[in-house]
Structure formats: structure tokens, C-alpha cells
Amino acid sequence: MLEQQKTPTPRFCKTLTLIVATIFLAGITATLIQYNKLPASIPVLQSFSSEHAQFGPKIAIFYLPFIALMLFLLLQYLEIKAAYPVLRKNKPALSHTERQNGIITFCLIKNSILLYFTYSLFNDLTVALGHKRILLQWHAYLFLFVLSIIFIFGIVRGILLNKKK
């Protein structure tokens, strides 16, 4: 019975996820291709304010993509769960529009995080190969700002949708 009430994922979310996942796979592929060229010890933790870094084994280049993949899968699961109505005590189930708001919010957060982690992977690969870093401090701040805007947009839209009831 609840299966019939499932809210479909918007088409742009599916397209966006496909594009971002392709970019992520391109980053993983580039890392695998360049892996043999990496030195035995690579910078794994860098500061934006200085050139000092902590070093680790070259397999550490895959730590960040692994974390990104786990976050992506978790948010993908939450996005799928948001499509189904949840029975709540003393409250009606969320409307189709409210569930769609949740799906869109999870979709944007999931893809933003994966894109940032991919960008960070390219930065780590670039630095490990001895080139100048491409990820600057303001990029991290910009990412956090965009992520905050997505959160705020999702919350405000959810509140406005709830008031329309």
C-alpha cells in the first residue's frame, strides 16, 4: 500500500548524480593510472596556512575517496528513504511535496560533497606528484558556504511547505 505512494526522484537529480558519479570515477581512474608514479611517501594532511604537511604511505591517496564513497552511499540511501511515507505518531505522513523537498535536498548535498571530495582528490594527486596545490583555502570556505545554503534552502522550503497545509 505504501509502495503506491512513493514519491519519484526528480529527473534532474538522477542526471546530476550520474554526471557527478562519472566525474568521481574519472578521478579514481586518474589516481589509479598515476599510482605507480607516486612517491612511497605522500603528503596526507596539509595546512592552508603553511607548506608543512604530514606524510603517509601512498595508499593513503585512496582514503579520501573511500570516505567520499561511504558518505555518497549513505546520502543515497537517505534520499531513497525520503521518497517513502513514514508513519509518525500523532502526526500525518509527510506530503508528496514535502518528501520531494527532502529528496532534492539530499540529492544536492550528496552531489556537492562528492564533487568537493573529487576536487580534493585531484589536489592530493597533484601535490603528491610534486606540483603546486590547486585547492586553496577560499575553495573550502566556498564549499562550506554552498553546503550551508543548500541546508538552509531545504529547511526554509520545508517550513514553508508545512505552513501551506
Side-chain angles (χ1 to χ4, degrees):
M1 183 174 4
L2 292 177
E3 189 71 32
Q4 295 172 350
Q5 298 176 2
K6 178 183 183 272
T7 302
T9 302
R11 184 174 293 157
F12 88 90
C13 280
K14 292 178 181 178
T15 305
L16 180 63
T17 301
L18 182 64
I19 291 169
V20 172
T22 303
I23 293 169
F24 178 71
L25 289 174
I28 296 294
T29 304
T31 304
L32 288 171
I33 291 170
Q34 297 293 325
Y35 186 76
N36 288 333
K37 295 179 183 175
L38 293 175
S41 179
I42 62 169
V44 291
L45 184 62
Q46 303 168 37
S47 169
F48 286 116
S49 59
S50 69
E51 293 298 319
H52 297 68
Q54 293 181 2
F55 289 83
K58 69 180 184 177
I59 193 71
I61 196 83
F62 294 108
Y63 293 171
L64 211 56
F66 177 75
I67 292 169
L69 181 62
M70 293 299 109
L71 275 172
F72 178 83
L73 293 175
L74 172 67
L75 290 168
Q76 178 68 28
Y77 171 76
L78 292 174
E79 181 183 319
I80 291 168
K81 291 293 281 185
Y84 293 94
V86 176
L87 299 175
R88 306 180 305 170
K89 291 182 181 179
N90 304 325
K91 290 184 180 181
L94 294 175
S95 69
H96 169 77
T97 311
E98 289 171 322
R99 289 194 311 261
Q100 195 161 40
N101 181 55
I103 292 169
I104 292 169
T105 303
F106 280 124
C107 173
L108 293 175
I109 292 169
K110 167 188 74 178
N111 288 302
S112 299
I113 289 173
L114 191 63
L115 205 55
Y116 182 77
F117 272 78
T118 304
Y119 182 58
S120 184
L121 172 64
F122 280 122
N123 178 69
D124 292 348
L125 187 60
T126 302
V127 171
L129 290 171
H131 301 288
K132 191 176 177 185
R133 83 172 352 149
I134 56 173
L135 180 62
L136 302 175
Q137 187 171 7
W138 70 269
H139 295 144
Y141 291 137
L142 179 64
F143 167 72
L144 291 174
F145 176 74
V146 168
L147 206 56
S148 298
I149 294 299
I150 293 169
F151 273 122
I152 291 167
F153 175 76
I155 290 168
V156 169
R157 186 166 186 252
I159 290 169
L160 293 175
L161 289 172
N162 202 13
K163 284 186 178 182
K164 282 185 180 180
K165 280 185 174 181

